[in-house]
């Protein structure tokens, strides 16, 4: 774990000298991040994992949202890839409500991924006077839902837009998706491992669930735009990660889907005309690109 600015500067210097072209993941405390370190990190091919945790003083739970907001803004402004590492039921004074609040807050900062080491090592906390065993089960399900839908589903670019359209917070969304996963035999209970499945399979799960959610909210008229946003972003992610070209059928012109107007789906659907398109996603001189066929 890199805990200070000085340690991070030394790490960056060492990487630049020894392996400037190698991808590296690093665990970094938010206190080590500032404008200078972020600018230098841009010269590396890297991803940052930042612990997003509460601290405990006596029986009080402390969580510095201002600190995390300021550091996430620096990273987002410089285009660096970062994610959060989170836990539930820790420290001892943690509560289910506090965990949900941290999860809502984490998603609002646009992390590339959110990791839950407790899901990986199976070392779940014991129930306390603050966090019941039933709530720990709920938290575990929500964490797994987040891992599946958000992280493995590569949802960072569009997830907050979807939440806004549904008028739901992230923790409630993940709670609903956990229930959907259990009903469809793809939850942690059935030992489903989303990271072992192709992204396109996870995308199909996302779309099936969201179709139900938009129908439930009586907003099914928004779903064609939602589908285009998810499919186009998913295709670009597979192009860059797996080198997979694709042809996507859309209900709107991709130029419109990739415009800032699509960040408000309700307004977008009210003001933009539908236009069925076949869109090729491909590399153009080593750069991701698209064209309408």
């Amino acid at each position: 774990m890199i805990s200070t600015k000085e340690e991070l500067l030394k790490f960056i210097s060492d990487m630049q000298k020894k392996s400037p072209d190698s991808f590296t993941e690093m665990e970094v405390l938010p206190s080590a991040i500032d404008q200078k370190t972020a600018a230098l990190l841009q010269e590396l091919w890297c991803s940052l994992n930042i612990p997003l945790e509460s601290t405990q003083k006596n029986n009080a739970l402390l969580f510095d949202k201002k600190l995390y907001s300021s550091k996430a803004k620096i990273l987002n402004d410089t285009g660096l890839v970062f994610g959060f590492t989170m836990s539930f039921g820790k420290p001892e004074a943690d509560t289910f409500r506090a965990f949900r609040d941290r999860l809502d807050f984490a998603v609002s900062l646009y992390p590339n991924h959110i990791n839950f080491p407790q899901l990986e090592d199976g070392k779940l906390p014991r129930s306390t006077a603050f966090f019941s065993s039933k709530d720990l089960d709920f938290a575990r399900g929500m964490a797994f839902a987040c891992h599946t839908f958000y992280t493995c589903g590569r949802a960072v670019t569009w997830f907050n837009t979807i939440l806004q359209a549904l008028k739901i917070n992230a923790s409630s969304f993940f709670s609903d998706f956990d229930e959907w996963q259990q009903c469809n035999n793809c939850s942690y209970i059935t030992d489903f491992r989303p990271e072992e499945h192709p992204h396109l399979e996870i995308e199909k799960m996302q779309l099936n669930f969201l179709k139900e959610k938009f129908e439930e909210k009586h907003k099914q008229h928004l779903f064609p735009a939602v589908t285009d946003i998810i499919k186009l972003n998913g295709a670009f992610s597979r192009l860059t990660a797996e080198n997979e070209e694709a042809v996507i059928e859309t209900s709107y012109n991709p130029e419109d889907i990739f415009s800032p107007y699509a960040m408000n789906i309700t307004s977008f659907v009210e003001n933009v005309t539908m236009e069925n398109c076949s869109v090729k996603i491909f590399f153009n001189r080593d750069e991701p690109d698209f064209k309408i066929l």
Side-chain angles (χ1 to χ4, degrees):
M1 176 74 72
I2 299 172
S3 57
T4 67
K5 177 180 176 179
E6 290 70 28
E7 289 178 8
L8 183 53
L9 289 172
K10 184 179 184 305
F11 179 85
I12 294 170
S13 177
D14 290 344
M15 286 297 298
Q16 287 173 329
K17 293 174 183 176
K18 298 175 183 177
S19 305
D21 298 322
S22 299
F23 176 75
T24 182
E25 286 190 79
M26 60 190 84
E27 301 281 339
V28 183
L29 290 182
S31 55
I33 299 166
D34 63 10
Q35 296 285 357
K36 180 179 180 180
T37 54
L40 291 172
L41 283 166
Q42 285 182 290
E43 300 175 13
L44 299 181
W45 183 23
C46 65
S47 174
L48 280 64
N49 291 320
I50 302 168
L52 189 143
E53 303 291 357
S54 300
T55 56
Q56 183 172 333
K57 187 174 183 180
N58 298 323
N59 283 328
L61 200 64
L62 306 176
F63 181 60
D64 193 344
K65 287 187 176 181
K66 186 176 180 180
L67 171 68
Y68 286 105
S69 292
S70 63
K71 303 304 182 180
K73 185 178 188 306
I74 291 172
L75 296 173
N76 281 320
D77 287 348
T78 51
L80 288 166
V81 176
F82 73 96
F84 292 126
T85 301
M86 292 183 61
S87 63
F88 50 89
K90 294 173 60 180
E92 188 176 338
D94 194 22
T95 67
F96 185 43
R97 182 175 180 177
F99 167 67
R100 293 183 65 134
D101 182 60
R102 290 197 304 277
L103 186 55
D104 291 339
F105 175 71
V107 168
S108 75
L109 299 180
Y110 291 86
N112 177 70
H113 53 274
I114 302 175
N115 295 330
F116 299 89
Q118 290 162 312
L119 297 178
E120 300 166 17
D121 59 28
K123 295 180 180 178
L124 301 178
R126 295 181 179 180
S127 60
T128 67
F130 306 100
F131 216 130
S132 70
S133 58
K134 184 177 181 180
D135 283 342
L136 284 171
D137 286 340
F138 284 142
R140 182 182 184 182
M142 289 167 58
F144 187 80
C146 176
H147 173 63
T148 304
F149 194 101
Y150 188 91
T151 300
C152 295
R154 306 174 186 176
V156 57
T157 54
W158 48 263
F159 189 70
N160 283 301
T161 299
I162 300 299
L163 293 183
Q164 180 191 52
L166 289 170
K167 295 184 178 179
I168 189 174
N169 59 34
S171 58
S172 296
F173 182 96
F174 292 134
S175 178
D176 291 346
F177 187 62
D178 170 43
E179 184 177 341
W180 185 91
Q181 285 186 281
Q182 292 188 39
C183 291
N184 288 274
N185 297 315
C186 54
S187 72
Y188 72 90
I189 296 173
T190 55
D191 200 31
F192 179 71
R193 300 176 186 271
E195 62 278 359
E196 296 178 0
H197 291 257
H199 174 257
L200 195 57
E201 287 187 22
I202 306 299
E203 183 181 280
K204 289 177 181 177
M205 293 171 60
Q206 291 170 326
L207 290 170
N208 287 337
F209 173 71
L210 286 172
K211 186 174 187 293
E212 293 181 14
K213 289 302 294 181
F214 277 88
E215 288 175 351
E216 174 191 310
K217 296 281 188 176
H218 305 292
K219 295 185 176 186
Q220 53 266 44
H221 63 290
L222 303 181
F223 190 65
V226 169
T227 301
D228 286 359
I229 290 169
I230 293 173
K231 283 189 172 182
L232 286 170
N233 279 282
F236 270 109
S237 79
R238 291 188 295 276
L239 178 69
T240 55
E242 286 88 31
N243 200 31
E244 292 181 11
E245 294 190 354
V247 175
I248 306 296
E249 302 298 325
T250 66
S251 300
Y252 290 87
N253 189 304
E255 295 281 1
D256 294 328
I257 290 294
F258 288 127
S259 74
Y261 301 110
M263 294 184 70
N264 185 323
I265 296 175
T266 302
S267 176
F268 178 85
V269 170
E270 289 175 352
N271 293 285
V272 177
T273 302
M274 297 180 79
E275 180 183 347
N276 292 332
C277 297
S278 293
V279 186
K280 183 177 182 180
I281 309 297
F282 66 105
F283 278 116
N284 183 4
R285 297 179 182 177
D286 296 327
E287 292 294 327
D289 201 355
F290 70 89
K291 67 178 179 180
I292 299 173
L293 301 177

